[in-house]
């Protein structure tokens, strides 16, 4: 694996020891291809452990990869109850770490290296001796993967292919509605968080108990934060959430509800709705944050029109994630200019076109780039699009491993059926006024000016039900 390693023995480098990266390694082994997993953190599932307190909305039956389970079975590992819902901590401790340990023990002993390396941050990927400009002999060259270790060492690893499963956890979207940090956002960082708060941690609980917290976002993470704060409010008087939405309130704001084929996902939205109806949260709609200002010991959000929120003590920003593409600058990626997802995949997941949580199962063909044998998989393959399921990633890496093994028939085969959200329909105008209805009464439209709604958000009078 050094620069003197014969080309025929080069591994496929997998970036990230999360659920999709480890599944990729398992599928590569099934195809008789040696993987090398490089994980920047100290353990398997480092990112997952950072939301250990959050429960998944997919049960165990849907978050264990089949090829991974085959590797684990000889060790006596038994999958937990398939109908139970693991927390992030459960997923990491009971599945991801055992899988990484099995992968590591199975490494060829003559190589003198394990299949999983921790504290190994990938800082660059390129073709050996070729920057992104050079065409000559490009596809015949192996990849050089530049790695920095926590002890300060640096190394270049040769690889026959690169599967980037590093996810998007480390690069959350900012508070600013235009995609860049709001004015004053960085200065207020001590009171601005980009994670769902772990209210079982006494130090974290103290930050939110009896306080007013702005929760910015409209996805499952925001629903979870609202539900957690509502639970806290029953024990700690004065605890209140201000839910900040860029759009108006419609029938689909809370997700699929009982129509969602993942019941736990639908239940999240219903819990958020109940938090509002019980008075533990109020909603500030049509608010696109442009600045954060201090008001004594509190913060005030200011939107693009100069409207101001009520003062709050904390801000929780849950507006999605984005991929870190910096270490891939010397390979030729074909990415959609909006989503930063592979161009063939982007139309399937574009929230400007649809609001469905379902995506047609896809694999190596949709994930291919102009640079041969480079694949972005898992959350990173979705770029800035939301609603990713572990099952989707497992199907991706099954297909990619088959393609790298030369089995293009298996790579093209679809072996997955995904559950539906129960919420479908064009949502292309999800955060802008409908051009045909100047009063803002369009599909998932944004009100003409910010509005504060405190109860009964399931049937608001300020915004129509919309088509979603």
């Amino acid at each position: 694996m050094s620069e003197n390693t014969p080309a025929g023995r080069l591994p496929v480098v997998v970036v990230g020891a999360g659920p999709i990266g480890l599944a990729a390694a398992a599928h590569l082994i099934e195809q008789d291809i040696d993987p090398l997993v490089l994980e920047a953190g100290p353990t398997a599932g480092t990112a997952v452990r950072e939301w250990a307190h959050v429960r998944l909305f997919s049960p165990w039956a849907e978050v264990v990869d089949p090829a991974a389970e085959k590797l684990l079975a000889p060790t006596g590992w038994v999958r937990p109850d398939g109908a139970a819902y693991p927390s992030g901590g459960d997923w990491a401790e009971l599945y991801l770490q055992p899988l990484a340990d099995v992968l590591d023990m199975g490494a060829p002993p003559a190589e003198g290296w394990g299949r999983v390396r921790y504290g190994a941050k990938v800082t660059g990927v390129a073709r050996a001796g070729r920057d992104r400009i050079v065409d000559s002999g490009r596809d015949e060259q192996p990849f050089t993967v530049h790695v920095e270790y926590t002890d300060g060492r640096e190394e270049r690893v040769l690889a026959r292919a690169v599967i980037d499963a590093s996810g998007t956890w480390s690069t959350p979207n900012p508070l600013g509605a235009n995609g860049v940090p709001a004015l004053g956002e960085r200065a207020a960082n001590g009171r601005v968080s980009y994670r769902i708060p772990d209210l079982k941690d006494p130090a974290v609980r103290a930050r939110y108990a009896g306080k007013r917290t702005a929760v910015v976002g409209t996805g499952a993470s925001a629903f979870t934060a609202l539900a957690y704060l509502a639970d806290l409010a029953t024990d700690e008087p004065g605890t209140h959430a201000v839910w900040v939405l860029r759009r108006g309130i419609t029938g689909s704001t809370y997700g699929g509800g009982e129509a969602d084929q993942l019941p736990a996902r639908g239940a999240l939205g219903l819990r958020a709705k109940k938090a509002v109806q019980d008075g533990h949260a109020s909603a500030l709609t049509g608010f696109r944050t442009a600045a954060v200002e201090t008001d004594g010991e509190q913060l005030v959000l200011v939107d693009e029109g100069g409207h101001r929120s009520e003062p709050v003590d904390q801000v929780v920003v849950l507006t999605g994630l984005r991929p870190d593409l910096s270490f891939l600058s010397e390979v030729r990626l074909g990415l959609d200019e909006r989503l930063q997802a592979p161009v063939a995949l982007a139309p399937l997941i574009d929230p400007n076109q649809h609001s469905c949580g379902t995506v047609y199962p896809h694999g190596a063909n949709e994930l291919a780039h102009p640079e041969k044998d480079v694949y972005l998989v898992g959350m990173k393959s979705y770029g800035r699009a939301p609603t990713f399921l572990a099952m989707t990633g497992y199907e991706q890496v099954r297909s990619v491993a088959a393609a790298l093994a030369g089995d293009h028939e298996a790579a093209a085969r679809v072996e997955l059926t995904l559950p539906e959200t129960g919420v479908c329909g064009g949502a292309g105008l999800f955060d802008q006024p409908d051009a045909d209805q100047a009063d803002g009464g369009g599909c998932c439209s944004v009100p003409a000016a910010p509005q504060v709604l405190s109860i009964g958000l399931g049937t608001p009078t300020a915004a129509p039900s919309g088509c979603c």
Side-chain angles (χ1 to χ4, degrees):
M1 292 211 322
S2 70
E3 294 188 338
N4 296 319
T5 302
R9 294 168 54 195
L10 295 179
V12 171
V13 163
V14 179
V15 186
I20 310 306
L22 294 174
H27 282 278
L28 289 168
I29 290 170
E30 196 169 60
Q31 295 288 350
D32 198 26
I33 299 172
D34 276 327
L36 172 61
V37 182
L38 300 175
E39 165 59 46
T43 62
T46 297
V48 173
R49 294 172 192 271
E50 292 191 19
W51 48 271
H53 58 293
V54 178
R55 194 161 298 281
L56 281 73
F57 51 66
S58 295
W60 272 111
E62 296 173 356
V63 297
V64 174
D65 176 78
E69 190 164 8
K70 288 179 185 177
L71 283 179
L72 285 164
T75 70
W77 185 87
V78 177
R79 185 180 67 194
D81 179 5
Y85 293 86
S87 66
D90 296 335
W91 204 17
E93 288 294 336
L94 302 180
Y95 168 61
L96 298 179
Q97 193 62 59
L99 175 56
D101 293 344
V102 167
L103 288 166
D104 217 23
M105 289 187 296
E111 295 292 335
W113 49 269
R115 284 190 176 129
V116 183
R117 294 185 186 179
Y118 301 112
K121 181 180 179 180
V122 174
T123 59
V125 177
R127 289 284 185 181
R130 308 288 192 276
D131 63 20
R132 66 181 297 150
I133 299 174
V134 178
D135 292 331
S136 178
R138 188 174 191 87
D139 287 352
E140 288 70 46
Q141 297 301 314
F143 292 94
T144 57
V145 180
H146 293 235
V147 187
E148 290 183 358
Y149 295 94
T150 51
D151 62 5
R153 290 182 300 118
E154 294 182 281
E155 183 182 16
R156 285 186 294 184
V157 175
L158 293 183
R160 57 170 287 194
V162 176
I163 299 175
D164 182 358
S166 59
T168 56
W169 178 254
S170 63
T171 46
N173 287 331
L175 174 59
N178 61 358
V180 298
L183 299 178
E185 180 175 348
R186 292 190 180 97
N189 192 50
R191 285 174 285 174
V192 177
S193 169
Y194 302 87
R195 309 300 187 203
I196 299 169
D198 180 3
L199 299 180
K200 293 181 180 179
D201 182 321
V204 175
R205 185 183 180 93
R207 290 181 59 186
Y208 297 93
K211 306 290 180 62
R212 301 184 76 80
T213 300
V215 176
V216 186
T218 55
S221 294
F223 293 162
T224 303
L226 290 168
Y228 284 6
L229 290 169
D231 291 344
L232 181 63
T234 62
D235 298 327
E236 300 286 351
T239 303
H240 188 80
V242 179
W243 187 18
V244 181
L245 303 88
R246 297 174 185 174
R247 67 185 84 175
I249 297 289
T250 74
S252 68
T253 296
Y254 299 100
E258 295 178 357
D260 197 317
Q261 290 184 14
L262 287 175
R265 181 171 60 187
L268 280 176
L270 297 178
R271 288 185 67 192
K273 182 176 182 179
K274 187 176 188 300
V276 175
Q277 292 178 329
D278 288 350
H280 298 312
S282 54
L284 179 57
T285 65
F287 196 94
R288 305 176 67 84
T289 307
V292 182
E293 296 181 357
T294 58
D295 182 0
E297 296 298 315
Q298 294 182 301
L299 299 175
V300 173
L301 305 184
V302 183
D303 83 348
E304 294 171 339
H307 303 96
R308 301 169 65 85
S309 74
E310 63 179 279
V312 296
D313 301 287
Q314 300 288 333
V315 179
V316 177
V317 182
L318 300 169
T319 55
L321 306 162
R322 61 181 60 177
D324 176 10
L325 301 168
S326 60
F327 62 87
L328 299 172
S329 62
E330 293 307 313
V331 292
R332 299 171 177 179
L333 301 180
L335 299 175
D336 179 79
E337 62 185 9
R338 295 165 299 169
L339 297 186
Q340 295 179 298
V343 290
L345 175 60
L348 305 179
I349 60 176
D350 188 351
N352 289 294
Q353 303 301 323
H354 61 81
S355 60
C356 303
T358 51
V359 176
Y360 184 84
H362 54 276
N365 289 338
E366 292 82 2
L367 299 172
H369 292 279
E371 192 77 68
K372 184 175 179 290
D373 293 339
V374 169
Y375 295 96
L376 276 58
V377 300
M379 275 292 298
K380 193 161 187 176
S381 72
Y382 268 41
R384 300 195 185 197
T387 325
F388 182 83
L389 294 176
M391 291 186 294
T392 301
Y394 296 157
E395 173 69 0
Q396 288 179 341
V397 296
R398 180 204 64 78
S399 174
V400 167
L404 291 173
D407 189 346
H408 300 293
E409 180 182 350
R413 193 164 56 236
V414 173
E415 297 185 2
L416 174 67
T417 300
L418 291 169
E420 296 181 358
T421 63
V423 181
C424 274
L429 300 176
F430 74 97
D431 68 351
Q432 57 186 304
D434 191 319
D436 294 328
Q437 300 190 44
D439 62 355
C443 170
C444 302
S445 60
V446 63
Q451 302 176 36
V452 177
L453 306 172
S454 57
I455 58 173
L457 292 185
T459 54
T461 58
S465 61
C467 68
C468 297

